[in-house]
């Protein structure tokens, strides 16, 4: 693996190796103190973050490396109109690995085309967030022994929630997972992921009620309604507060249920759940740091490579208004196949037909 843009970039074998390393790091962190000695990680955060940014920074520091970057793009030349390509060209000259989060879908993929060093997608709009998935899988594996064979409930904003999109991509690599997709109709998973699940024979049911499915679940993955992604504020008003997990709703849940959440939570998990031993979301955030240490120990130590020249595009070709190709017009028109449907290789949006 050169870049981590989409969890699909990782084979099952590569994930198993990454987890094995995260596990070793958790067991003996003192063996890893110098693994990134002399290496520098850039953190480019064009969107707010607490856990992802801090866990990457602390991961690099714990490996003996160092970190620079911004958490407010107004403080960088982006605010003077610099293109993503130029920012990445510059930063990849200074850093050994780049971690980036943006509101534009497909931006990390775009950056990877121009970077001399590995690029890690720390969230690209409502599209993907593969390193949160490394935290999620590490949590499940460490606490349950294995990911195979579980019943997984994904609840909340499945339309805009990038963490669930990446988790679905990842769980295609495991055996015998049953999915309960719990969301109101307005916030159901995007079509390309429904197609992806069918193509990979991943059994799923889509429901709008949470309580009735809780007893079936081994993992309940709650998510926040992603207010910042709503174009229509009334749609947000209609859907906010729709799912609230509290202690009484857990009365018929399994004894060994894992209650997970990428955080931050707003109101979707009541505070009275925090002391339930099944609530593992704060542990999950800490596991994320170890998963990111495992990732950085590999990617920050890769050699610099000049990327191959990229064809120059001449305008937006994807109709998704949040796609990076809308603003960075030099990007090439790349297409990929999603279950037989040709889609934008940056943001996964299928073309408008007819
Ligand atoms: C998530 C994100 O940024 O997508 N947070 C995180 O990285 N842990 C989830 C969210 O913001 O709701």
């Amino acid at each position: 693996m050169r870049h981590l843009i989409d969890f699909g970039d990782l084979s099952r074998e590569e994930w198993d190796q990454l987890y094995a390393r995260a596990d070793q790091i958790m067991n003996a962190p003192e063996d890893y103190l110098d693994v990134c000695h002399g290496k520098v990680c850039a953190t480019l955060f064009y969107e707010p973050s607490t856990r992802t940014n801090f866990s990457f920074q602390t991961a690099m520091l714990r490996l003996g490396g160092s970190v620079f970057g911004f958490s407010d793009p107004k403080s960088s030349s982006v605010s003077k109109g610099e293109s993503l390509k130029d920012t990445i060209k510059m930063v990849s000259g200074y850093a050994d690995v780049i971690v980036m989060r943006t509101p534009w879908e497909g931006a990390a993929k775009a950056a990877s085309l121009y970077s001399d060093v590995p690029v890690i997608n720390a969230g690209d709009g409502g599209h993907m967030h593969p390193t949160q998935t490394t935290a999620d899988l590490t949590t499940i594996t460490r606490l349950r022994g294995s990911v195979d064979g579980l019943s997984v409930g994904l609840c909340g904003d499945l339309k805009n929630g990038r963490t669930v999109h990446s988790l679905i991509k990842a769980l295609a690599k495991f055996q015998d997972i049953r999915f309960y997709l719990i969301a109101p109709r307005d916030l159901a998973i995007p079509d390309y992921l429904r197609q992806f699940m069918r193509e990979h024979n991943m059994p799923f049911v889509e429901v709008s009620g949470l309580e009735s499915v809780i007893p079936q679940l081994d993992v309940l993955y709650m998510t926040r309604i992603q207010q910042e992604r709503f174009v229509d504020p009334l749609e947000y008003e209609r859907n906010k507060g729709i799912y609230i997990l509290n202690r009484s709703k857990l009365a018929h849940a399994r004894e060994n249920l894992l209650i997970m959440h990428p955080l931050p939570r707003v109101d979707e998990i009541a505070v009275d759940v925090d002391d339930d031993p099944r609530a593992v979301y704060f542990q999950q955030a800490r596991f994320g740091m170890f998963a990111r240490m495992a990732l950085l120990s590999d990617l920050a130590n890769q050699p610099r490579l000049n990327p191959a020249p990229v064809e120059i595009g001449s305008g937006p070709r994807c109709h998704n208004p949040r796609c990076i190709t809308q603003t960075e017009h030099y990007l090439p028109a790349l297409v990929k196949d999603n279950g037989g449907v040709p889609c934008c290789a940056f943001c996964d949006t299928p073309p408008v037909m007819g």
Side-chain angles (χ1 to χ4, degrees):
M1 180 184 43
R2 175 72 180 165
H3 306 285
L4 180 55
I5 307 300
D6 181 310
F7 210 93
D9 298 342
L10 230 73
S11 66
R12 170 70 194 261
E13 198 189 346
E14 283 174 315
W15 162 250
D16 288 342
Q17 285 166 3
L18 195 66
Y19 176 75
R21 193 172 322 130
D23 198 49
Q24 283 165 8
I25 295 172
M26 286 188 266
N27 294 338
E30 63 283 3
D31 294 348
Y32 289 80
L33 295 177
D34 290 323
V35 167
C36 287
H37 181 77
K39 300 292 175 184
V40 180
C41 173
T43 55
L44 311 184
F45 278 72
Y46 296 80
E47 263 197 345
S49 171
T50 302
R51 274 147 294 273
T52 306
N53 195 351
F54 287 167
S55 66
F56 265 113
Q57 293 194 35
T58 49
M60 196 60 183
L61 296 173
R62 283 169 185 266
L63 294 168
S66 43
V67 189
F68 75 100
F70 57 78
S71 51
D72 177 0
K74 287 195 209 81
S75 67
S76 79
S77 283
V78 181
S79 63
K80 299 183 189 168
E82 185 166 61
S83 70
L84 179 67
K85 174 181 174 181
D86 290 4
T87 304
I88 293 300
K89 280 273 168 220
M90 297 315 306
V91 172
S92 82
Y94 305 142
D96 298 292
V97 62
I98 297 175
V99 175
M100 64 185 288
R101 165 173 288 189
T102 72
W104 313 292
E105 301 186 7
K109 163 85 184 165
S112 73
L113 299 178
Y114 304 105
S115 176
D116 296 344
V117 300
V119 173
I120 299 176
N121 182 5
D124 59 335
H127 183 226
M128 292 289 160
H129 191 353
T131 73
Q132 178 61 42
T133 305
T134 65
D136 303 340
L137 296 179
T138 300
T139 305
I140 300 172
T141 313
R142 188 85 176 177
L143 299 179
R144 288 290 295 247
S146 154
V147 178
D148 295 317
L150 299 181
S151 288
V152 177
L154 304 175
C155 177
D157 188 348
L158 308 189
K159 177 181 175 193
N160 301 300
R162 56 193 173 194
T163 61
V164 284
H165 302 166
S166 285
L167 187 55
I168 289 173
K169 281 278 183 92
L171 290 175
K173 299 176 194 300
F174 294 84
Q175 304 302 313
D176 200 22
I177 311 266
R178 290 168 305 284
F179 288 89
Y180 294 84
L181 305 178
I182 310 154
R185 193 186 293 257
D186 286 345
L187 304 181
I189 52 159
D191 270 341
Y192 76 88
L193 281 172
R194 207 173 280 114
Q195 260 156 21
F196 175 88
M197 294 181 88
R198 292 203 182 105
E199 188 194 351
H200 289 82
N201 298 317
M202 299 162 77
F204 64 92
V205 288
E206 295 189 71
V207 297
S208 55
L210 169 61
E211 270 177 273
S212 58
V213 300
I214 288 182
Q216 330 288 331
L217 303 178
D218 299 305
V219 172
L220 172 55
Y221 194 96
M222 297 295 293
T223 64
R224 176 177 69 87
I225 308 295
Q226 307 278 299
Q227 180 174 11
E228 67 277 27
R229 310 268 179 241
F230 283 74
V231 180
D232 176 0
L234 286 177
E235 189 176 67
Y236 173 70
E237 288 302 317
R238 262 202 315 277
N239 289 294
K240 73 172 190 201
I242 189 158
Y243 299 113
I244 298 183
L245 183 69
N246 55 29
R247 198 172 266 211
S248 67
K249 289 188 186 152
L250 288 166
H252 302 291
R254 292 184 179 160
E255 284 286 294
N256 58 356
L257 171 70
L258 297 180
I259 305 167
M260 299 176 66
H261 193 307
L263 303 176
R265 72 172 145 185
V266 181
D267 54 6
E268 57 280 356
I269 302 183
V271 181
D272 68 2
V273 177
D274 294 358
D275 295 326
D276 187 305
R278 295 169 289 190
V280 299
Y281 28 89
F282 294 118
Q283 271 172 282
Q284 184 183 349
R286 182 163 158 83
F287 284 135
M289 178 181 71
F290 294 112
R292 289 173 174 119
M293 286 174 79
L295 187 65
L296 287 172
S297 68
D298 174 3
L299 295 189
N301 282 303
Q302 291 203 9
R304 304 181 68 79
L305 287 178
N306 255 326
V310 179
E311 181 205 330
I312 300 172
S314 57
R317 288 176 195 77
C318 173
H319 64 93
N320 172 7
R322 298 165 183 197
C323 179
I324 187 70
T325 58
Q326 296 287 341
T327 49
E328 310 284 321
H329 292 178
Y330 52 82
L331 288 171
L334 299 183
V335 173
K336 72 175 169 197
D337 182 88
N338 276 341
V341 182
C343 290
C344 171
F346 295 97
C347 71
D348 280 291
T349 301
V352 181
M353 298 296 175

